[in-house]
Amino acid sequence: MNATAKPLPARRPAENDTPAPEERQIQIHLRKIPLLAGLSDEELIRVKQDLRFRHYKKREIVLQKGGHGDGLLFLLSGQLQVIDVTEDGRSIGLRMLAPGDFFGEIALINNSTRSASVVAMSDVLVAFLPAATAMHLFSHSPSVANQMLKHLAQKIQRDSEFRSLLSINNTAKRIYTYLVLMQKNKQDEPGVPAVVENLPTHQDIANMINTSRETVTRALTALAQQGIVQKDAHRLIIVKPEALQKLVQGS
């Protein structure tokens, strides 16, 4: 990849470059996407010109497995779940996506078909960047290229951890391990509470780790009764991370 950023095609100035309120809000959303954070204001404006925005309602399919990788997608608001369907027709949740996340990159880079589906878990706003513009960014923007490399490395590690999780025979320990992996702000200081933001429903968790909703409910209830976790709106506060880790380790 080039060491020096190559500017995107020149943009024709408009009579009034002051964005409308809705456009300004979208500009703010795009600045919160780590992949685009290193772009200049001018580059970001040019990227936004190629973006297509679409709202999806809860449970609508955003990406269909088997579809062509014709672009890169960004989640601007709401929550998505990446799912796969087994040969016997069961839906298996692979991971959750939060605002700022992007998806569809593997099929785009490989010029292949989508390997999984993406479903809206709430009302969402998604931005679609056509393949030509996305590949130009990958090739000519060092900040985007570096972010993509970090993302792919983290994805490999996350997928490896998840495969290890699914190999755990003890269902309760599998649930505990899932909660540890879901922690967004793992603390270095022992005993400091950690948080699982936008906790999926018990059924969604069950789908992801191959168990039943009732089993997930019983496990979380037991953790709450022991004072290890505390449910707070749409997040789970892990009050005693060390105690949870001991359960994962079986001690």
Side-chain angles (χ1 to χ4, degrees), residues 34 85 136:
V85 179
H136 180 95

Side-chain angles (χ1 to χ4, degrees), residues 158-177:
R158 184 173 60 246
D159 290 349
S160 176
E161 291 174 338
F162 197 75
R163 283 194 296 271
S164 297
L165 180 154
L166 293 177
S167 68
I168 298 173
N169 292 326
N170 184 294
T171 305
K173 187 179 292 188
R174 198 155 67 238
I175 296 170
Y176 305 149
T177 304

Side-chain angles (χ1 to χ4, degrees), residues 131-148:
T133 305
M135 293 303 292
H136 180 95
L137 286 177
F138 296 164
S139 301
H140 297 96
S141 172
S143 68
V144 172
N146 287 335
Q147 286 290 338
M148 180 58 72

Side-chain angles (χ1 to χ4, degrees), residues 199-218:
L199 183 72
T201 66
H202 292 187
Q203 184 61 63
D204 289 330
I205 294 174
N207 291 342
M208 281 187 274
I209 63 175
N210 194 26
T211 187
S212 67
R213 179 182 60 80
E214 293 77 12
T215 301
V216 173
T217 300
R218 283 196 301 270

Side-chain angles (χ1 to χ4, degrees), residues 182-201:
M182 282 288 289
Q183 293 175 28
K184 292 294 184 182
N185 57 335
K186 295 181 181 180
Q187 304 289 344
D188 294 329
E189 185 179 347
V192 175
V195 178
V196 176
E197 299 285 358
N198 299 312
L199 183 72
T201 66

